[in-house]
Amino acid sequence: MATDEKIEVTIVETVEPEPIKIVNRPRKVYGGMWGPLEIAAVAAGALVMLAAMMAYFFFVIPSNRELAINKAKAGSLDAELVSARTKYGEITDTETQVAKVLTSVDDFETRFLPAISNGQNALYQRLNGLILSYGLVNTTGPDYTPLEMINQNSGQQSDAEKGREKFRSLYPGVYVTTTVEGSYQNLRRFIREIESGNEFIIVSAIELAPSENEGQKEQRQNQVAKQQVPNPATMQPGGFPTGINPGPAVQTQNQSTRTRGKMHGETVALHIEMAAYFRRPNFTPTAPAQQ
């Protein structure tokens, strides 16, 4: 049996490929991350940083130092200005200031310097009262030596008077020298009462020393202890002196050893020198009367 079959024929056209053209391009060799541009950028940054550091060290630091110095000077000038305003801010003219100074001098002499006739007696009574109230023993003085005014010529002077020359002033006074004995606590209170009193007194010299009575007492105790020490020629074979009990000698030596040290409340000698000043005999107020 015959069948009709159709045969389809597909014609494929082949296209010939074009030939590849080879172009000679310049070859680039990879040199890493540091190329010319990178190196130039880093160098420029380093130059900028170096310039900034030089500007900081040569301009900023000296300017900061100069600024701190100027601030310190300004602070000191402000303090001086405040002090000057406090001292001289109320000065309007020369006459007012002179009157103010004279008034202050007159007020000081009137309030703190008693008359010489009453002041000397009050000083004597006060010193004697303090010596008695604190249980002190007056061993030397008080010796009172007048202090002449600085504008008076006393002629030839002894060594003691020359030493007191620096305590002379525009006001008459008296130089007091005394030596008292007592406990250290009472001597401190005695000095404090003198310095804090109403009198105008300058303490010129203070000297503390062991009391002579205490030293003589200790010396006598040492002599008694030496006398009670037995003589080796009179020692018995047993080691004890003939007819002497060794107990008191040992006790006396121990007691003498204990008294050599300084104990609390021991008697001390105080030598004090002071200068007291009084009002001028011909004192008259020099400040002009207030209107």
Side-chain angles (χ1 to χ4, degrees):
M1 179 174 169
T3 58
D4 295 332
E5 294 182 355
K6 295 180 178 181
I7 302 171
E8 295 180 354
V9 179
T10 302
I11 298 173
V12 180
E13 294 180 358
T14 59
V15 180
E16 294 181 0
E18 296 180 357
I20 298 174
K21 297 180 180 181
I22 300 175
V23 180
N24 294 327
R25 293 178 299 177
R27 298 180 62 184
K28 293 183 179 180
V29 179
Y30 179 72
M33 62 178 293
W34 297 104
L37 295 178
E38 288 81 359
I39 294 175
V42 171
L47 290 177
V48 171
M49 184 176 296
L50 181 61
M53 293 177 62
M54 292 179 64
Y56 177 78
F57 284 108
F58 289 100
F59 295 100
V60 178
I61 292 180
S63 61
N64 290 338
R65 187 181 297 110
E66 185 177 0
L67 178 61
I69 295 174
N70 292 334
K71 286 184 177 180
K73 291 181 179 180
S76 62
L77 292 176
D78 290 339
E80 292 179 2
L81 178 61
V82 172
S83 177
R85 286 179 177 176
T86 303
K87 293 181 179 179
Y88 312 109
E90 299 178 356
I91 298 177
T92 56
D93 53 5
T94 306
E95 295 179 356
T96 304
Q97 182 64 17
V98 170
K100 183 178 179 181
V101 173
L102 293 177
T103 303
S104 176
V105 173
D106 293 342
D107 182 67
F108 166 75
E109 192 164 359
T110 303
R111 292 178 55 187
F112 299 101
L113 297 181
I116 189 170
S117 57
N118 300 329
Q120 289 182 351
N121 295 330
L123 178 64
Y124 304 158
Q125 294 177 4
R126 177 171 170 77
L127 289 179
N128 293 330
L130 291 176
I131 291 173
L132 293 177
S133 61
Y134 288 109
L136 305 179
V137 179
N138 189 5
T139 58
T140 304
D143 297 329
Y144 301 94
T145 304
L147 288 175
E148 298 180 353
M149 299 175 61
I150 199 170
N151 56 357
Q152 294 180 357
N153 187 9
S154 58
Q156 295 182 353
Q157 297 178 345
S158 61
D159 294 339
E161 292 176 349
K162 291 180 180 179
R164 295 190 295 267
E165 181 72 18
K166 58 183 177 181
F167 297 103
R168 294 175 59 189
S169 67
L170 296 175
Y171 306 101
V174 61
Y175 197 83
V176 185
T177 304
T178 184
T179 302
V180 293
E181 293 183 355
S183 63
Y184 177 72
Q185 291 77 12
N186 290 339
L187 293 177
R188 285 176 49 193
R189 299 186 184 99
F190 175 72
I191 298 173
R192 182 188 60 189
E193 290 292 337
I194 291 177
E195 293 181 336
S196 60
N198 296 327
E199 299 85 358
F200 188 73
I201 297 177
I202 298 177
V203 178
S204 60
I206 291 178
E207 181 181 358
L208 291 174
S211 174
E212 294 181 359
N213 296 332
E214 292 291 334
Q216 294 175 0
K217 181 179 178 181
E218 182 179 354
Q219 185 177 4
R220 288 196 299 269
Q221 291 178 352
N222 292 335
Q223 291 178 356
V224 172
K226 290 180 181 180
Q227 292 176 359
Q228 293 183 358
V229 174
N231 188 356
T234 60
M235 296 290 291
Q236 293 181 353
F240 296 102
T242 305
I244 298 180
N245 187 4
V250 177
Q251 294 176 359
T252 305
Q253 291 178 353
N254 295 335
Q255 183 178 2
S256 175
T257 303
R258 287 195 301 268
T259 56
R260 292 176 184 175
K262 302 300 180 183
M263 297 179 294
H264 182 74
E266 186 180 2
T267 303
V268 182
L270 168 67
H271 178 75
I272 184 170
E273 298 181 8
M274 66 193 89
Y277 299 94
F278 309 104
R279 193 181 306 167
R280 290 173 292 179
N282 54 352
F283 168 73
T284 54
T286 55
Q290 298 290 337
Q291 295 182 355

